[in-house]
Amino acid sequence: MQKSGDQTPSCQRVLADGGRRRLQKSPSCVLQLDEKPGSVEVSDQRRPSALHVVRNDTPSAAMGNLKFGNKKLPNAIIVGVKKGGTRAVLEFIRIHPDVRAAGTETHFFDRNYDRGLEWYRGLMPRTLESQITMEKTPSYFVTKETPHRISAMSRDTKLIVVVRDPVTRAISDYTQTLSKTPELPSFQELAFRNQSLGIVDTSWNAIRIGLYALHLENWLRYFPLAHIHFVSGERLITDPAGELARVQDFLGLKRIVTDKHFYFNRTKGFPCLKKPESSGSPRCLGKSKGRTHVQIDRDAIEQLRDFYRPFNVKFYEMVGQDFKWE
């Protein structure tokens, strides 16, 4: 234990190979050199400095408050929808210096709720007071219990829903599933109970997700419409900067993510982020994004458009926005 009269902390130098060299006599602090870039979490995601001081006599929580921020429950959640463009929105908005986001889908409110809020908090990145914490799990929007559970955490939570033409979304959903399960029945077999009569099978998840108006009714029981922002999946492709400007406004952020951050990748068919100065290549979404859709019979598509039309119209009226899905 260090004597009270000794005001000079002594340190050890920890080298990259694990060796140590005593710099001063008392082991009250350790100087870590050549730390690996991924070994320390830094709130602004920049590479840590070559020299980092860790005092053994400082509690880890206090050090976290001082250096790295805190893990907080999310201020905003991207709650849906699957195959709508949720990953793109998350990757685009996290460029903003005032946004930190969990990297993977947590599925807390639909699959892991019994683990408790502290478990959920532990999945979040560390943020400073000025930063927003976010996560995305697209299945939340269609899970009945989720709105109530999120409101129980905080009724001030801001919700983002990325929506897309429900017919195109269903085909994209099927295409993704087919890539993992080649023996899957045909799209028409799954989408219709009786195609000759135009009877759609709403029990199939790929169809059910696109009934946006029905799902939104459940959310409006717990959140005012002003707390829910709808992103157009189509405009996210044609005008990513415009959609992200509206997202930043909704989150109360300065418009930092602008058109200068994007370029259109003709091979993938959607926008990518221009390469950062620190990177050697542009940032595009993974190979699973932008895959060519399975070709579906034109009559089947028209039948599905007829089926979704009244639900779409109701959804437009509920949110005060015409997405023009025709």
Side-chain angles (χ1 to χ4, degrees):
M1 187 170 176
Q2 187 175 331
K3 295 179 181 180
S4 59
D6 185 1
Q7 299 301 316
T8 305
S10 58
C11 303
Q12 289 179 326
R13 176 173 292 179
V14 182
L15 304 178
D17 62 2
R20 292 172 181 263
R21 181 181 303 160
R22 180 68 64 95
L23 298 182
Q24 298 176 15
K25 293 180 180 179
S26 171
S28 64
C29 65
V30 176
L31 294 180
Q32 298 179 336
L33 294 183
D34 301 326
E35 198 156 21
K36 294 181 180 179
S39 64
V40 176
E41 183 180 11
V42 182
S43 61
D44 63 1
Q45 297 181 313
R46 291 194 293 268
R47 183 187 177 98
S49 61
L51 189 63
H52 176 60
V53 177
V54 180
R55 287 187 173 276
N56 294 339
D57 57 356
T58 304
S60 59
M63 183 186 71
N65 292 340
L66 177 65
K67 184 71 176 177
F68 301 113
N70 296 304
K71 292 194 173 192
K72 298 180 291 189
L73 293 170
N75 312 90
I77 304 176
I78 301 173
V79 297
V81 299
K82 180 184 179 184
K83 306 307 296 180
T86 57
R87 172 56 61 180
V89 171
L90 184 68
E91 291 303 313
F92 295 165
I93 194 61
R94 72 195 308 180
I95 301 171
H96 200 292
D98 290 335
V99 173
R100 294 294 312 280
T104 58
E105 296 174 7
T106 70
H107 286 281
F108 173 66
F109 292 104
D110 59 351
R111 300 179 190 172
N112 296 299
Y113 194 62
D114 59 342
R115 292 176 179 262
L117 284 173
E118 287 309 306
W119 177 86
Y120 183 46
R121 187 198 304 271
L123 301 179
M124 297 299 120
R126 292 187 182 276
T127 52
L128 304 177
E129 280 300 315
S130 61
Q131 293 177 312
I132 290 175
T133 301
M134 292 184 66
E135 75 119 324
K136 85 148 181 104
T137 303
S139 55
Y140 287 165
F141 189 64
V142 299
T143 304
K144 184 178 179 181
E145 300 81 11
T146 298
H148 172 66
R149 290 172 175 177
I150 294 179
S151 69
M153 177 185 73
S154 173
R155 288 186 61 86
D156 293 327
T157 306
K158 293 187 175 183
L159 309 168
I160 296 174
V161 187
V162 190
V163 290
R164 182 183 184 186
D165 180 335
V167 177
T168 307
R169 198 222 63 82
I171 296 171
S172 178
D173 198 337
Y174 174 78
T175 300
Q176 182 183 54
T177 306
L178 186 65
S179 70
K180 301 175 182 178
T181 315
E183 66 276 11
L184 204 65
S186 72
F187 180 86
Q188 286 92 321
E189 289 179 81
L190 294 169
F192 296 94
R193 291 182 178 178
N194 187 322
Q195 187 176 355
S196 61
L197 297 177
I199 301 176
V200 175
D201 189 350
T202 56
S203 67
W204 186 33
N205 203 43
I207 294 294
R208 186 176 67 88
I209 289 173
L211 301 173
Y212 304 139
L214 298 186
H215 302 304
L216 181 57
E217 286 179 344
N218 187 34
W219 285 88
L220 293 179
R221 293 172 57 199
Y222 300 95
F223 289 94
L225 189 61
H227 281 209
I228 309 175
H229 178 72
F230 299 91
V231 175
S232 165
E234 287 80 16
R235 287 198 299 268
L236 189 62
I237 295 174
T238 61
D239 181 21
E243 284 301 301
L244 264 292
R246 287 182 278 274
V247 171
Q248 290 170 95
D249 291 347
F250 173 68
L251 295 175
L253 298 170
K254 182 179 179 180
R255 288 189 178 187
I256 289 178
V257 184
T258 63
D259 54 2
K260 71 180 181 182
H261 289 93
F262 302 99
Y263 79 97
F264 189 79
N265 185 309
R266 296 189 181 280
T267 302
K268 283 184 168 289
F270 55 75
C272 294
L273 296 170
K274 292 180 180 178
K275 69 175 184 178
E277 293 180 3
S278 59
S279 172
S281 61
R283 287 171 52 191
C284 283
L285 300 182
K287 294 180 180 179
S288 65
K289 309 300 181 182
R291 56 165 71 91
T292 303
H293 288 179
V294 174
Q295 292 299 308
I296 306 298
D297 178 72
R298 173 53 57 183
D299 290 340
I301 291 176
E302 290 306 316
Q303 286 176 302
L304 287 176
R305 292 208 179 283
D306 291 341
F307 165 75
Y308 277 119
R309 188 169 291 111
F311 295 100
N312 291 344
V313 170
K314 183 176 182 182
F315 180 65
Y316 300 164
E317 293 172 350
M318 292 174 75
V319 303
Q321 186 176 167
D322 185 349
F323 290 91
K324 304 184 185 303
W325 292 324
E326 289 298 333

